[in-house]
Amino acid sequence: MAGVGEETRPSPDALLKAAEKEARGKHKIFLGAAPGVGKTWEMLSTARRRKLEGADVVVGVVETHGRAETEAQLAGLEILPRRHIAYKGRMLEEMDIDAILARRPALVLVDELAHTNAEGSRHPKRYLDVEELLAAGVDVYSTLNVQHIESLNDVIARITRIRVRETVPDRIVDTADEVELVDLTPADLIARLGEGKVYVREQAQRAVRRYFSPGNLTALRELALRRTAERVDDQMLSYMREHAITGPWAAGERVIVCLDPSPGAANAVRAAKRTADSLDAELIALYVETERHAGLSDAEHTCLAETMRLATQLGAEVATVPGRSVVEEILAFARARNATRVVVGKSRRSRWFELTHGSVVDELVRSGSGLAVEVAPSADGPVPVQPIDWLLGAPRQIGPYLEGVLTTALATAVGKLVDQLINVPNVSLVFVVPVLIAAARHGLVPSLWVAGLSVLCFNFFFLPPLYEFTISDPANIVALVLFMFVAIVASALAARTRAQTEAARREARTTADLYAFSRKIAGVVDLYDLLWTVATHLARLLNAEVVVLMPEKTSAGNGKLEASAAFPPGTELTEADLAAARWSWDADQPTGKGTDTLPGGRWLFVPIRTSRSEIGVIGVLPLKEGDGSLSAAERRLLDAVGNQAAVAIERVTLVADIDQAQLGVERERLRSAMLTSVSHDLRTPLASIIGALSSLRSYRDRYDEATRAELLGTALSEAERLDRFVGNLLAMTRLDAGAITPKREAVEVGDLVSTTLRRAMPLLEGRQVGSSIPPGLPSLSLDFVLAEQALFNLLDNAAKYSPAGARIEIEAHQVGARVEIVVRDEGPGIAAADLDRIFDKFYRAHEGDRRLAGTGLGLAIARGFVEVQGGTIAVRNRADRSGAEFVVSYPVS
């Protein structure tokens, strides 16, 4: 049993948490089941009492919603002005956290903890504001409805059929110093609604029909009561750990059922389930893994695994703890979890076994722990023959016993040498060394073998008469018996230490394997790589063939299961194996080898899932000899790896879904922008063309030649403008599809600039155009058409933003192994906010309030045409005057 000091020592973790809270402010949450129960009124009433006691209380934010009773409670309390934030043409008011920190009151009131702050606030959520205030040492009173707690959001949505979008993480409630439930019966709340004390009358009538029905309110009230009870229970456990109170305190019921490898353990689990249901208590199934666990037979391992699966199916939490004494570990676990009742199975072992090994039931009853001990009936059938414990781990090879003969002979030789050189009265201690070596290396049975050999050698070589198995002196008989006793005790202790070391080594190895697996999958972002990692890791851990099956995604939902990864590669499943895997997926239960369903199959199939959905099925084909079933430890390892793999697969899948959703959103945004652009910018030239041509058709004879030429010129210029718009759209489509392949040729920079200027002259009319192309520039390997179009788009952009009479310049020069072409204008320049987005598709910078013509694709196309040829394009504002500079850089061929 643990020492008294160990039992009464406070929990270091609990003391550390309490110390961390000392530096923070205190947080009290007024929790309600629904709007209108009076949370805000109760918070204000409590704050007024604190103010009368002399506390410095201020109101950070309180929403009265026009309720006269609530507004009356604000009288006499200091209300800090709120911060005004401009949002979409409106002024919104939010809590001014900086003003509160500067004022630094003892207590601040913050209503509606789940509120979403307006854009531009320091934190996106109000509960984050509260966390900052608490970290600054300010006490906070806040209000919250149970439907805003994240873990209950989906449950409440199913009850009320209304999804609440604003939620707070559960940790906010779990870490609160106090949670006060503000309760109101459904009848009273509906009456308040009818009196107009919650909403206006028409709104209240709609609320009663949709949300505030008696059934909904009763369910919400129960959820609020349960959530508050859980928080109070956590506070009680923390208090007990901080003050080293062993408990249990029977404030709430928890039932522990003790598992063992016997067939009667299943009856104990069923009895514990009935007890827990009758008490409405939490059920925990506990297995204490002692040194005897390593020697369990295959049948006992199977029985234990089946009992654990039964406990899981009945809704129990299954826990495994290593330890030396079953009773000590049960009592320690019960104190840690504040359990009130223990259910154990009635042992059907022999009386001699109970006398030599003790009875768990008797020791629990005599422990005086305050636990109620319930003994479940044993299973019917013959009493199983119990193997002798110390023979369970005996090695079956001859090697350890031959090693014992050699070490005993060596100890005898050393003893004879010492006895001849030195007169040592206790030469028998030499034989303790081989006993300890045998116990540490091979266990109890080989050490007892060595102890027997040592006794014989000590008698034959050291006790007179020498070299005979007789003893003449009675004192030597006592010495021999004492030596035999010391040797047996030393071997037993050393063997127990070895067994505990092996158990600790197995646990450490399992933990290291799980940690290594979690590290491997943490950084994997590709689903195929993740599935391959899962298969190879499990195959190595379990010495088995492993296959991971996932459902085929179809438009109608999940289709047939397909092997997504396997180790070794090329592993194939028969139709029967696939049918077993499908049954495991559909029933959400293990199937195949070692289970109750299709136990004759070769494979064991285990479904993996998260709290959100099913993920897939893992198939395992053990390669070890025997019946091919996994042991209980291997099954636990498989379940642990499967759970980690399910979470990782869901993470990768969700990332892919998010990327796809973002791609869809971006595609929809671009489509909307394109339609907006096309509907406006294509309509303008079309209207001009139609107007000019219809005028010519209707009034041709009334117009003189100059007027007709002007109308035709207008139609032609607008048609060319329309052609540029359509050309830009087609070019961007080709760029997005990756269908543009440059047809490279040697291009002189001077030819490129002059050709582009001639083409762009109609657009540059009314501006001064200058070019500076030094002789001797090296030729470039470019697609002339693409390079000309990119430069044309830059000139078109410069013409749009440059006023009449402004100068547009083109300059080329060599910089190292690249040639740069710079286009400068004398427009207003580019705002800092537009510099990073100027090359985005459909993005157009605005010059004041003037909307410029164009689809917003010219610069995006220019960048695409430049980059597809290995060049770069950049933009900056001019340093010498207002205007912009576009720099195109191509590598020298």
Side-chain angles (χ1 to χ4, degrees):
M1 299 292 288
V4 176
E6 185 177 324
E7 290 183 356
T8 59
R9 185 180 64 183
S11 169
D13 292 336
L15 292 177
L16 182 59
K17 290 181 179 179
E20 290 175 351
K21 284 187 175 183
E22 289 298 324
R24 294 171 54 85
K26 306 299 181 184
H27 187 199
K28 180 174 182 177
I29 297 177
F30 293 84
L31 180 67
V37 296
K39 303 178 302 299
T40 304
W41 189 93
E42 183 64 27
M43 178 181 70
L44 292 172
S45 178
T46 306
R48 288 170 64 88
R49 290 194 296 270
R50 287 285 306 274
K51 184 174 179 62
L52 292 175
E53 294 170 359
D56 182 14
V57 181
V58 300
V59 176
V61 58
V62 167
E63 305 291 349
T64 63
H65 299 290
R67 299 166 188 164
E69 297 174 350
T70 306
E71 291 178 353
Q73 290 291 326
L74 283 171
L77 293 176
E78 179 184 351
I79 303 176
L80 292 180
R82 300 190 195 182
R83 182 184 174 204
H84 292 80
I85 299 176
Y87 179 70
K88 293 185 178 180
R90 295 186 300 149
M91 294 302 296
L92 303 179
E93 293 184 346
E94 295 292 353
M95 182 176 67
D96 194 340
I97 187 172
D98 292 320
I100 297 173
L101 293 173
R103 171 69 171 73
R104 203 164 188 82
L107 173 64
V108 62
L109 310 184
V110 181
D111 203 7
E112 296 184 358
L113 191 59
H115 170 76
T116 300
N117 294 330
E119 289 188 14
S121 302
R122 182 182 308 176
H123 301 123
K125 290 286 190 177
R126 186 168 289 172
Y127 70 82
L128 298 173
D129 295 338
V130 169
E131 287 191 322
E132 183 173 348
L133 293 174
L134 293 172
V138 179
D139 293 350
V140 177
Y141 282 177
S142 60
T143 63
L144 182 69
N145 284 331
V146 70
Q147 64 264 31
H148 294 292
I149 299 177
E150 180 63 44
S151 62
L152 301 178
N153 186 259
D154 57 338
V155 178
I156 294 174
R158 288 195 296 269
I159 294 172
T160 63
R161 290 176 173 77
I162 296 176
R163 172 73 68 173
V164 177
R165 301 299 177 187
E166 293 183 325
T167 60
V168 300
D170 286 57
R171 61 178 174 81
I172 301 299
V173 180
D174 295 336
T175 56
D177 298 275
E178 292 183 62
V179 177
E180 180 177 332
L181 179 64
V182 183
D183 194 17
L184 200 62
T185 63
D188 290 341
L189 181 54
I190 293 174
R192 283 174 53 84
L193 283 167
E195 295 169 0
K197 295 182 178 180
V198 180
Y199 301 124
V200 296
R201 191 170 300 277
E202 292 182 359
Q203 188 178 0
Q205 291 175 355
R206 290 196 302 269
V208 170
R209 289 194 301 269
R210 297 181 181 179
Y211 188 87
F212 289 86
S213 65
N216 287 355
L217 293 178
T218 301
L220 292 173
R221 190 184 185 201
E222 181 179 0
L223 285 173
L225 289 169
R226 286 182 178 274
R227 192 62 180 84
T228 307
E230 291 175 5
R231 179 68 191 103
V232 172
D233 188 62
D234 291 340
Q235 286 179 322
M236 182 179 65
L237 288 176
S238 298
Y239 179 84
M240 294 172 65
R241 291 169 184 148
E242 290 172 16
H243 295 81
I245 299 173
T246 57
W249 281 1
E253 295 287 350
R254 279 189 182 86
V255 178
I256 294 178
V257 56
C258 301
L259 306 182
D260 61 68
S262 68
N267 282 354
V269 172
R270 297 186 184 96
K273 173 61 176 175
R274 293 191 296 269
T275 300
D277 288 345
S278 64
L279 298 174
D280 193 18
E282 179 184 356
L283 179 60
I284 306 172
L286 175 65
Y287 175 65
V288 180
E289 188 175 303
T290 61
E291 58 191 37
R292 184 174 178 272
H293 178 80
L296 295 181
S297 63
D298 291 339
E300 288 176 315
H301 275 296
T302 302
C303 185
L304 178 61
E306 292 297 329
T307 306
M308 288 183 171
R309 281 197 291 272
L310 174 63
T312 302
Q313 292 172 0
L314 294 179
E317 174 192 347
V318 179
T320 301
V321 296
R324 186 178 63 86
S325 169
V326 174
V327 175
E328 287 181 12
E329 297 302 330
I330 291 174
L331 294 177
F333 188 84
R335 284 193 295 269
R337 301 297 293 270
N338 197 32
T340 56
R341 189 177 298 264
V342 175
V343 179
V344 293
K346 179 65 177 75
S347 172
R348 302 189 67 200
R349 295 185 177 100
S350 64
R351 177 62 62 180
W352 172 251
F353 186 91
E354 291 189 357
L355 289 175
T356 56
H357 292 79
S359 170
V360 173
V361 176
D362 293 341
E363 291 185 37
L364 283 174
V365 172
R366 289 197 302 267
S367 65
S369 60
L371 290 170
V373 180
E374 179 181 329
V375 181
S378 58
D380 297 331
V383 178
V385 178
Q386 297 294 333
I388 302 175
D389 284 356
W390 53 273
L391 289 177
L392 291 175
R396 301 294 191 266
Q397 300 82 14
I398 197 173
Y401 305 100
L402 290 178
E403 181 182 313
V405 173
L406 294 177
T407 54
T408 304
L410 180 61
T412 302
V414 172
K416 291 296 291 182
L417 180 62
V418 170
D419 189 47
Q420 292 177 2
L421 299 178
I422 307 173
N423 185 15
V424 179
N426 293 321
V427 72
S428 60
L429 295 178
V430 175
F431 291 98
V432 176
V433 176
V435 173
L436 295 177
I437 292 175
R441 285 175 53 82
H442 306 293
L444 181 60
V445 173
S447 68
L448 292 178
W449 161 257
V450 174
L453 292 177
S454 300
V455 169
L456 294 177
C457 291
F458 181 59
N459 179 17
F460 190 81
F461 290 103
F462 295 97
L463 294 181
L466 298 178
Y467 312 117
E468 295 182 11
F469 291 107
T470 57
I471 304 174
S472 59
D473 189 351
N476 290 334
I477 297 177
V478 175
L480 184 65
V481 171
L482 289 176
F483 169 71
M484 181 179 295
F485 176 77
V486 170
I488 293 175
V489 170
S491 65
L493 292 177
R496 171 170 291 184
T497 302
R498 175 179 179 272
Q500 292 175 345
T501 303
E502 288 295 326
R505 189 175 298 164
R506 286 195 304 271
E507 292 295 330
R509 188 182 304 116
T510 301
T511 303
D513 288 336
L514 291 176
Y515 177 68
F517 177 69
S518 65
R519 290 190 60 185
K520 278 185 178 180
I521 65 177
V524 179
V525 295
D526 182 74
L527 181 60
Y528 177 78
D529 292 341
L530 176 60
L531 296 178
W532 174 254
T533 302
V534 172
T536 54
H537 199 82
L538 269 178
R540 182 180 63 82
L541 291 180
L542 302 178
N543 187 26
E545 294 184 20
V546 175
V547 61
V548 181
L549 299 102
M550 293 185 66
E552 179 186 9
K553 298 296 183 181
T554 64
S555 58
N558 293 329
K560 66 177 183 179
L561 289 176
E562 294 182 338
S564 301
F567 188 87
T571 300
E572 296 184 357
L573 299 177
T574 63
E575 290 296 328
D577 296 333
L578 290 174
R582 185 71 204 190
W583 193 96
S584 176
W585 166 267
D586 293 335
D588 194 23
Q589 292 182 6
T591 305
K593 193 71 173 179
T595 67
D596 293 334
T597 306
L598 304 176
R602 299 183 308 140
W603 289 77
L604 167 66
F605 294 102
V606 179
I608 56 175
R609 59 170 298 139
T610 64
S611 58
R612 290 167 45 92
S613 62
E614 298 84 0
I615 300 298
V617 176
I618 294 180
V620 178
L621 178 61
L623 300 178
K624 61 184 179 181
E625 298 179 357
D627 65 350
S629 299
L630 297 181
S631 66
E634 290 172 330
R635 282 295 301 273
R636 290 200 302 274
L637 185 61
L638 173 61
D639 292 340
V641 172
N643 291 334
Q644 288 187 349
V647 173
I649 293 171
E650 185 179 55
R651 170 180 57 82
V652 172
T653 305
L654 287 177
V655 168
D657 291 343
I658 290 173
D659 291 342
Q660 191 66 29
Q662 289 177 342
L663 182 61
V665 170
E666 181 65 17
R667 187 182 294 114
E668 186 62 32
R669 186 187 69 80
L670 292 177
R671 183 183 294 112
S672 176
M674 184 188 71
L675 291 176
T676 302
S677 249
V678 167
S679 63
H680 180 274
D681 294 313
L682 298 187
R683 183 180 297 172
T684 301
L686 281 174
S688 300
I689 295 171
I690 292 172
L693 295 179
S694 62
S695 297
L696 283 173
R697 179 180 181 182
S698 302
Y699 308 105
R700 178 183 183 88
D701 296 335
R702 300 182 185 181
Y703 295 144
D704 55 21
E705 190 65 28
T707 303
R708 288 196 295 269
E710 182 182 355
L711 290 173
L712 287 174
T714 300
L716 179 60
S717 64
E718 292 298 325
E720 291 175 347
R721 178 181 167 194
L722 182 60
D723 180 65
R724 289 196 301 273
F725 288 165
V726 175
N728 282 340
L729 290 173
L730 293 176
M732 183 52 63
T733 303
R734 294 174 63 200
L735 278 172
D736 287 341
I740 294 181
T741 303
K743 299 178 180 179
R744 298 182 180 273
E745 57 181 328
V747 174
E748 298 295 333
V749 178
D751 292 343
L752 175 65
V753 172
S754 60
T755 302
T756 308
L757 283 175
R758 283 196 301 268
R759 179 185 169 194
M761 273 306 169
L763 301 177
L764 301 174
E765 187 177 355
R767 282 84 171 173
Q768 302 178 40
V769 180
S771 62
S772 174
I773 312 298
L777 286 178
S779 61
L780 305 175
S781 177
L782 301 175
D783 186 315
F784 191 92
V785 175
L786 298 182
E788 180 199 8
Q789 184 63 46
L791 190 56
F792 178 85
N793 286 0
L794 295 181
L795 292 173
D796 183 19
N797 180 79
K800 287 179 182 177
Y801 287 92
S802 295
R807 182 175 178 81
I808 297 176
E809 299 176 353
I810 301 180
E811 176 186 330
H813 53 267
Q814 184 174 0
V815 180
R818 304 182 73 86
V819 171
E820 291 185 351
I821 304 174
V822 183
V823 177
R824 298 188 182 93
D825 62 52
E826 294 182 349
I830 302 173
D834 295 331
L835 284 173
D836 293 335
R837 302 185 58 191
I838 199 69
F839 292 106
D840 291 351
K841 289 179 285 188
F842 302 109
Y843 184 80
R844 287 181 290 181
H846 294 275
E847 182 183 353
D849 296 330
R850 182 165 64 95
R851 178 183 172 90
L852 299 176
T855 57
L857 290 175
L859 294 181
I861 292 171
R863 180 179 66 175
F865 284 176
V866 169
E867 291 179 350
V868 82
Q869 301 178 90
T872 61
I873 186 170
V875 62
R876 59 178 178 255
N877 286 315
R878 296 180 63 168
D880 56 342
R881 54 167 302 150
S882 66
E885 288 184 347
F886 288 85
V887 181
V888 177
S889 174
Y890 290 113
V892 175
S893 59

